């Protein structure tokens, strides 16, 4: 049997793996299972925390199929089979109290995640609640974050009204320059990760763990936070519903997330079926 051209498949979630109803269709699930059984390592790559990705991994049965979760935009990679982290690029602990001070100064909320759900000093904030809803998690804690977080955490977020968060983002980017990645993922979501963390940096470390090269990686995505991943992969595939900038860096374009575009890409580029 000929060796498959792409042996690691990284997938963004919303707008890529899932359709407009946030569902993995039977067609896409069947294509991914066939790929996994043929020896392809499936990686779910997202800005969400592990707990926010786990339900989709469970739907795809990635524990049995030996897949991986790439969480926090590359800040953490976890084996679905063992539940253990392959690595975590942790935010420096001393930065958390500084984040709290900045959040108070600009009247925005700070949040993170633990094994129980979202934790925040402002649990009733509507954007804290929105992030919890987006990940299907409860808001589990109220209180000072710096004293609460005693584990390596790959990501925190400041959230709030855009007119407050924009100046907060500008200040935080300057304050943490050379220390943290600080970027807006939405006008109301400011993400803070360890310096140098991206989806591509996380995939690079995972490929090293798997003994594979970037040439063996196929990645599918639609968003602006997928640009580096698609550029890095041996084959970057943009969805038909992707941003124009995302399509511009991709080497191929597949169907939309409502046309089982991931399945189309699997059959065409991994199995060489038209």
């Amino acid at each position: 049997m000929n060796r498959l051209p792409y042996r690691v498949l990284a997938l963004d979630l919303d707008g890529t793996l899932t359709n407009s109803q946030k569902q993995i269709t039977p067609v896409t699930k069947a294509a991914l299972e066939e790929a996994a059984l043929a020896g392809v390592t499936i990686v779910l790559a997202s800005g969400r925390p592990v707990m926010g990705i786990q339900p989709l991994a469970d739907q795809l049965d990635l524990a049995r199929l030996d897949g991986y979760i790439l969480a926090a935009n590359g800040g953490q990679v976890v084996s679905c089979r063992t539940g253990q982290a392959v690595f975590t690029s942790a935010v420096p602990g001393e930065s958390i109290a500084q984040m709290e001070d900045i959040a108070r100064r600009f009247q925005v909320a700070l949040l993170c995640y633990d094994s129980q759900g979202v934790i925040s000093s402002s649990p009733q904030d509507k954007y804290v609640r929105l992030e919890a809803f987006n990940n299907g998690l409860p808001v589990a804690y109220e209180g000072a974050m710096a004293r609460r977080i005693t584990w390596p955490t790959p990501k925190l977020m400041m959230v709030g009204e855009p007119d407050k968060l924009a100046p907060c983002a500008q200040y935080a980017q300057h304050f943490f320059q050379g220390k943290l990645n600080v970027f807006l993922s939405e006008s109301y979501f400011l993400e803070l990760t360890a310096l140098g963390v991206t989806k591509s940096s996380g995939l690079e470390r995972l490929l090293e763990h798997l003994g594979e090269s970037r040439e063996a990686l196929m990645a599918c995505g639609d968003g602006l936070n997928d640009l580096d991943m698609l550029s890095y992969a041996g084959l970057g595939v943009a969805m038909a519903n992707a941003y124009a900038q995302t399509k511009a860096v991709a080497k191929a374009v597949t169907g939309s997330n409502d046309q089982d575009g991931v399945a189309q890409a699997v059959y065409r580029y991994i199995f060489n079926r038209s």
Side-chain angles (χ1 to χ4, degrees), residues 67-89:
Y68 288 82
I69 287 172
L70 184 150
N73 283 315
Q76 188 172 47
V77 169
V78 172
S79 164
C80 296
R81 179 175 56 82
T82 68
Q84 299 300 307
V86 176
F87 69 85
T88 299
S89 297

Side-chain angles (χ1 to χ4, degrees), residues 77-259:
V77 169
V78 172
S79 164
C80 296
R81 179 175 56 82
T82 68
Q84 299 300 307
V86 176
F87 69 85
T88 299
S89 297
V91 172
E94 65 271 15
S95 300
I96 298 172
Q98 296 169 330
M99 292 178 196
E100 287 193 289
D101 289 340
I102 293 170
R104 281 193 293 268
R105 174 174 178 174
F106 287 91
Q107 298 180 302
V108 298
L110 183 68
L111 67 83
C112 188
Y113 320 87
D114 69 3
S115 60
Q116 303 303 312
V118 173
I119 61 174
S120 177
S121 55
S122 306
Q124 298 306 318
D125 181 273
K126 72 177 184 179
Y127 293 109
V128 172
R129 295 282 170 178
L130 176 59
E131 173 64 3
F133 173 78
N134 286 346
N135 287 280
L137 299 173
V139 178
Y141 174 79
E142 174 183 0
M145 304 278 285
R147 289 197 298 271
R148 169 70 172 178
I149 299 173
T150 58
W151 59 90
T153 184
K155 185 178 86 166
L156 293 93
M157 293 175 66
M158 294 182 191
V159 301
E161 296 295 341
D163 62 341
K164 292 182 178 179
L165 199 60
C168 176
Q170 186 175 18
Y171 180 88
Q173 286 167 344
H174 176 75
F175 185 90
F176 291 117
Q177 186 173 7
K179 299 177 182 177
L180 297 174
N181 278 358
V182 181
F183 61 95
L184 287 164
S185 56
E186 299 284 355
S187 61
Y188 43 81
F189 283 166
L190 180 66
E191 309 212 7
L192 302 104
T193 64
L195 193 65
V197 166
T198 61
K199 285 187 178 182
S200 62
S201 72
L203 287 167
E204 183 176 24
R205 293 184 66 176
L206 176 59
L207 289 170
E208 182 179 355
H209 172 76
L210 295 172
E212 290 284 6
S213 68
R214 62 188 290 186
E215 288 75 24
L217 171 67
M218 184 171 107
C220 299
D222 71 302
L224 298 178
N225 67 335
D226 297 320
L227 290 170
D228 72 291
M229 176 174 76
L230 298 191
S231 298
Y232 174 78
L235 180 64
V237 181
M239 309 298 289
N241 51 288
Y243 284 95
Q245 300 98 307
T246 308
K247 291 178 181 177
V249 304
K251 296 182 178 72
V253 177
T254 187
S256 76
N257 63 320
D258 286 325
Q259 298 169 321

Side-chain angles (χ1 to χ4, degrees), residues 12-27:
D12 176 55
L13 305 185
D14 296 321
T16 300
L17 174 64
T18 62
N19 63 16
S20 297
Q21 287 71 50
K22 307 295 186 184
Q23 298 170 338
I24 303 173
T25 69
V27 170

Side-chain angles (χ1 to χ4, degrees), residues 57-76:
D58 291 343
Q59 287 181 44
L60 293 173
D61 204 8
L62 291 189
R64 174 176 63 88
L65 298 174
D66 203 13
Y68 288 82
I69 287 172
L70 184 150
N73 283 315
Q76 188 172 47

